[in-house]
Amino acid sequence: MRPEILNPLFAAATSLSGVGPRVAEALEQIGVRRVADLLWHLPTGIIDRRYATTIADAEPGRIATITVTIGRHKPGYGRRQPYKVVASDPTGSMSLVFFNARPDYLNKMLPEGQVRVVSGRLERFGKETQMVHPDRIGTADEIAGLRAIEPVYRLTEGLSLKVLAKAVGGALNRAPELPEWADPAFAAAQVWTSWRISLLAAHGPGDEAALDPATPSRRRLAYDELLANQLALSLVRRQMRQRKGRAVRGDGRLKDRVRSALPFRLTASQDQAISEIVADMGAENRMLRLLQGDVGSGKTLVALFAMLNAVEAGAQAALMAPTDVLVRQHLATIEPLAKAAGIEVVALTGRDKGQKREAALAALADGTASLAIGTHALFQEGVAFHDLGLAVIDEQHRFGVHERLMLAGKGKGTDVLVMTATPIPRSLLLTAYGDMDASRLTEKPAGRKPIDTRVMPLKRLDELIEAVRRSISTRAKVFWVCPLIEESEEVDAAAAEERYQHLAAIFGERVGLVHGRIKAAERDRVMAAFKDGNVDILVATTVIEVGVDVPDATLMVVEHAERFGLAQLHQLRGRVGRGEANSTCVLIYGEPLTQTARARLKILRETDDGFRIAEEDLRLRGAGELLGTRQSGLPEFRMADLAHHADLLQTARADSKLMLDRDPELKGARGQALRVLLYLFDRDVAVRYLASG
Ligand code: ADP
Ligand code: MG
């Protein structure tokens, strides 16, 4: 149950005065639904109203605050003409200008003969000094009561600064003083104030310098967010560790058979990873390990060896992949090798129904099948394993922490291996996985050819189409990836549809299309035709088939490459260059290209090292935007920016460990404060993993 003290912050944003349905809709565009979300929306700039001057001295173009005596009102003739109000001080006179004016309102705000303070941007028209729509109008007392320096927030259509600032102000008024979760000595050394005071400070910058991520208030808020993240991960991990593990020790007989059935040798990296995994599985603890490796580095085989290790020890193993297509692909790699080893594999996806499914379930339940490969379907109710010793998750970042944990329930002390192709920099690894052990595949199988990467503007599409024509005339296959216009594939595959129409008009039936809205069976048909049949150009959106292995593919085209995360582009590029022939990756961009976008694309041309790409991306953009967030599986931070707060991540990690060691159930005063923190940052799922809720 959420601590009551937080309730005011978890009410809908519409509960704030000034936030009606229309404003609420605009707020949603910037990710604000609840009152708390406004707190996380930190200012990006300031408006300085401290420049107080006289009419004669006023510098045009600046925001100025001037004390004036109100003179005559001059309503405009007709609708087009502005309403003007004369205002003067001892040095001269100026006009306050209003369009679409409401005369009664202006008469009330600016009564003739009275002294008022106005603040806004000054302009000079010929000899006349003007202030169009002053931002502020009031008596000297009223203005003195307002802040001379106002925060500026990121806005969106339909949301004015005034309205947003008011909403944020309302949210801040509701922010309670919360019990302190930070270590008092550390907080003092950092010159930190309480959470609430830090929040007020971050929203009330006194100057430009106060916007710096290195200011104490911003660092404190970043720390809080990172602490919530690390604490949640520690809780999850501890919970998994606490369940008794078991020692799974294979004797090597199946591994040997498969090794000799392979047409190539494992890379040194693969061997290394396999021995790390085997050692970990052999320990009494439960394994929770990450296998990181670039696309094409050969993770599937490493997973297979880990699974064989479980089978040698008399247990079963399962491999979960995010899509049907990837399941089929893993099956195609693993099945023949499993056959060589003399063990049975079953596949299980949401599409397997009826007898086939029944047979698979029976084989898993009685242990006849040693290996299972499937989608989420594997871990749903009704699926029972005889004895699941190892679960491998090929996540491609589409499973959440929660789903990873569901595995835990399917076996007794089941070891878990998570595979990821995203070259997450070490600094970020911690945010997504906590201190999970990791094995890295750092080398590619021998014989891989470097991929020629080119960057070109969309306006040279015609040349590209000629290159495609040449490619396919040599029986090579071409991937053509289009961006999603909306976040979700379900919603918007329009760009891909359109490109498909265009290419099909040129190349006819040699063009295929796959995206999220196309029926699974049709998708499979097209993929199969692309892999082995007469489809030579595959137009696709990203989310769907990134894991596919098509050795004949030698050309990868990515449209609007500037909209993709670098890591994602790197992964897409890894789809070609798997066979004998030389491969090319063409990154098409829409113009104009920003400086940063240009620098980012340049990195891809310069290096093929996924980890370096990820580090550079982090440096150029900051973690928040890294990897195209949504698909990346990395948590999105609202106040922490790992480009600046990496040290705090380390601290948060150490602190969360220490606190859990001291008070594993978070029962003490500080523990209770930490529970509040978890709720505050929406990490309350983790609270469930506390032994006694
Ligand atoms: P990943 O999942 O890491 O992207 P895969 O496991 O799909 O990579 O492997 C990519 C391709 O490389 C597959 O065709 C696989 O058979 C092949 N492969 C894997 N290991 C080796 C190796 N040691 N030598 C040669 N080819 C390999
Ligand atoms: Mg793979």
Side-chain angles (χ1 to χ4, degrees):
M1 274 270 286
R2 180 194 308 136
E4 257 172 51
I5 191 167
L6 295 178
N7 285 346
L9 297 180
F10 281 77
T14 44
S15 67
L16 293 165
S17 91
V19 183
R22 272 199 22 233
V23 173
E25 216 170 279
L27 283 174
E28 282 208 16
Q29 301 300 312
I30 54 168
V32 172
R33 287 211 173 75
R34 304 161 311 179
V35 174
D37 301 326
L38 284 161
L39 303 178
W40 315 143
H41 198 70
L42 295 183
T44 53
I46 54 170
I47 295 176
D48 188 344
R49 299 195 186 282
R50 285 176 301 180
Y51 175 55
T53 183
T54 59
I55 293 173
D57 288 344
E59 263 178 66
R62 272 188 83 173
I63 291 187
T65 302
I66 305 185
T67 305
V68 292
T69 304
I70 304 302
R72 219 152 54 79
H73 283 228
K74 301 192 282 192
Y77 297 106
R79 296 196 113 235
R80 296 270 166 121
Q81 281 210 339
Y83 187 111
K84 291 189 177 181
V85 179
V86 178
S88 58
D89 72 0
T91 69
S93 75
M94 67 190 281
S95 296
L96 306 175
V97 180
F98 301 87
F99 293 90
N100 299 317
R102 297 196 335 256
D104 355 336
Y105 171 77
L106 290 176
N107 277 309
K108 195 172 127 232
M109 294 299 288
L110 299 164
E112 206 171 322
Q114 301 288 310
V115 174
R116 286 289 180 273
V117 178
V118 294
S119 182
R121 196 173 297 283
L122 283 172
E123 285 160 32
R124 188 107 47 196
F125 266 107
K127 289 229 154 134
E128 192 183 37
T129 301
Q130 294 190 344
M131 190 180 282
V132 181
H133 289 270
D135 302 326
R136 286 180 169 182
I137 299 172
T139 63
D141 282 352
E142 283 164 353
I143 296 287
L146 295 172
R147 278 189 289 196
I149 295 176
E150 286 173 51
V152 174
Y153 294 97
R154 189 163 53 85
L155 300 171
T156 183
E157 205 173 317
L159 193 63
S160 72
L161 182 57
K162 214 167 173 174
V163 168
L164 179 58
K166 178 160 184 233
V168 172
L172 288 171
N173 283 338
R174 288 203 197 170
E177 201 57 70
L178 297 176
E180 185 55 81
W181 47 75
D183 175 58
F186 177 66
Q190 297 281 323
V191 227
W192 283 351
T193 50
S194 72
W195 171 76
R196 179 169 167 272
I197 300 295
S198 301
L199 201 58
L200 293 177
H203 282 280
D207 50 26
E208 285 280 343
L211 302 168
D212 193 314
T215 55
S217 58
R218 290 211 171 205
R219 276 174 62 80
R220 149 105 224 201
L221 297 174
Y223 169 80
D224 294 340
E225 189 171 33
L226 292 169
L227 183 63
N229 162 265
Q230 289 299 299
L231 189 63
L233 287 167
S234 303
L235 282 170
V236 166
R237 180 184 163 85
R238 235 181 21 140
Q239 146 83 11
M240 293 204 65
R241 285 267 180 197
Q242 260 170 11
R243 297 217 192 171
K244 245 184 105 47
R246 67 194 223 202
V248 174
R249 296 201 183 96
D251 57 13
R253 95 200 112 87
L254 300 176
K255 290 186 221 97
D256 286 346
R257 269 187 239 164
V258 169
R259 214 181 275 270
S260 54
L262 283 176
F264 45 73
R265 293 172 59 121
L266 294 181
T267 64
S269 247
Q270 283 172 317
D271 275 326
Q272 168 78 21
I274 292 167
S275 54
E276 284 167 8
I277 293 164
V278 165
D280 208 351
M281 290 173 73
E284 286 290 344
N285 278 341
R286 181 177 200 148
M287 176 171 83
L288 184 57
R289 178 172 284 275
L290 187 67
L291 175 62
Q292 264 190 303
D294 238 342
V295 228
S297 56
K299 294 184 292 297
T300 313
L301 277 181
V302 174
L304 175 61
F305 277 82
M307 294 196 282
L308 294 172
N309 190 52
V311 178
E312 284 167 1
Q316 292 166 297
L319 168 59
M320 175 160 84
T323 66
D324 289 351
V325 175
L326 287 173
V327 168
R328 305 276 160 227
Q329 186 175 299
H330 285 312
L331 199 62
T333 309
I334 289 174
E335 213 165 28
L337 294 169
K339 196 166 257 164
I343 59 178
E344 199 188 318
V345 186
V346 297
L348 202 63
T349 67
R351 276 191 283 151
D352 297 314
K353 301 249 154 68
Q355 279 193 343
K356 194 168 165 239
R357 181 179 150 84
E358 292 309 315
L361 291 183
L364 290 177
D366 68 14
T368 344
S370 299
L371 301 183
I373 303 180
T375 53
H376 304 73
L378 268 182
F379 296 99
Q380 271 150 19
E381 265 172 69
V383 181
F385 288 85
H386 176 65
D387 177 19
L388 184 64
L390 171 71
V392 182
I393 312 169
D394 179 5
E395 68 165 351
Q396 312 278 348
H397 289 302
R398 270 178 262 172
F399 299 114
V401 172
H402 204 63
E403 280 159 311
R404 288 180 206 140
L405 291 170
M406 279 174 39
L407 295 174
K410 285 286 172 187
K412 296 182 249 30
T414 306
D415 286 327
V416 177
L417 179 68
V418 179
M419 300 201 283
T420 172
T422 306
I424 308 171
R426 284 197 192 278
S427 54
L428 296 195
L429 200 59
L430 211 51
T431 67
Y433 299 97
D435 53 356
M436 210 174 193
D437 300 308
S439 294
R440 274 187 168 192
L441 296 181
T442 50
E443 71 188 309
K444 299 238 165 103
R448 289 280 159 77
K449 298 215 168 127
I451 299 159
D452 180 13
T453 301
R454 302 187 191 176
V455 176
M456 68 162 69
L458 187 59
K459 62 174 185 254
R460 283 170 58 196
L461 194 66
D462 288 347
E463 285 170 50
L464 180 62
I465 285 176
E466 283 318 300
V468 167
R469 192 190 300 281
R470 283 193 302 275
S471 266
I472 61 175
S473 71
T474 65
R475 302 226 51 241
K477 305 265 175 176
V478 179
F479 279 105
W480 192 300
V481 176
C482 296
L484 294 175
I485 294 171
E486 304 265 324
E487 287 273 339
S488 147
E489 182 123 23
E490 308 297 326
V491 182
D492 208 339
E497 292 272 2
E498 204 171 292
R499 184 58 70 211
Y500 168 74
Q501 296 296 344
H502 171 211
L503 293 173
I506 302 170
F507 300 108
E509 294 190 347
R510 301 176 75 176
V511 189
L513 174 68
V514 290
H515 59 65
R517 277 185 306 172
I518 287 178
K519 292 243 162 52
E522 168 65 6
R523 230 151 58 197
D524 276 3
R525 192 193 63 73
V526 175
M527 287 307 302
F530 181 57
K531 224 171 153 161
D532 307 307
N534 49 15
V535 168
D536 296 320
I537 304 172
L538 183 71
V539 178
T541 48
T542 41
V543 193
I544 198 75
E545 316 297 349
V546 284
V548 294
D549 194 17
V550 182
D552 291 337
T554 58
L555 178 59
M556 165 65 68
V557 176
V558 185
E559 276 196 52
H560 281 291
E562 76 279 6
R563 293 188 199 161
F564 291 86
L566 278 196
Q568 203 179 8
L569 288 174
H570 175 63
Q571 285 209 32
L572 288 171
R573 175 168 67 179
R575 296 293 134 216
V576 295
R578 297 189 157 209
E580 302 295 307
N582 287 323
S583 295
T584 308
C585 172
V586 180
L587 304 174
I588 306 182
Y589 59 86
E591 284 167 305
L593 201 56
T594 63
Q595 283 273 321
T596 316
R598 192 175 297 276
R600 293 175 60 239
L601 294 180
K602 187 159 163 271
I603 294 167
L604 281 176
R605 262 198 351 241
E606 284 170 1
T607 180
D608 187 36
D609 177 344
F611 289 104
R612 215 202 110 198
I613 290 171
E615 301 282 357
E616 290 283 326
D617 203 13
L618 177 61
R619 192 178 57 75
L620 276 174
R621 303 208 301 173
E625 285 175 86
L626 187 72
L627 312 170
T629 42
R630 268 292 167 86
Q631 281 116 13
S632 74
L634 289 173
E636 292 176 49
F637 292 114
R638 289 168 289 199
M639 282 167 302
D641 175 350
L642 291 173
H644 295 106
H645 301 134
D647 65 313
L648 292 175
L649 177 62
Q650 297 297 337
T651 310
R653 172 198 186 191
D655 287 353
S656 64
K657 262 188 157 162
L658 192 68
M659 295 176 207
L660 284 176
D661 284 347
R662 282 196 199 144
D663 180 8
E665 286 172 10
L666 300 184
K667 281 188 164 153
R670 184 111 173 267
Q672 294 294 340
L674 288 167
R675 285 176 186 241
V676 172
L677 175 75
L678 288 171
Y679 277 98
L680 181 62
F681 284 101
D682 295 302
R683 304 293 155 115
D684 42 299
V685 206
V687 177
R688 275 191 250 144
Y689 294 100
L690 285 165
S692 57

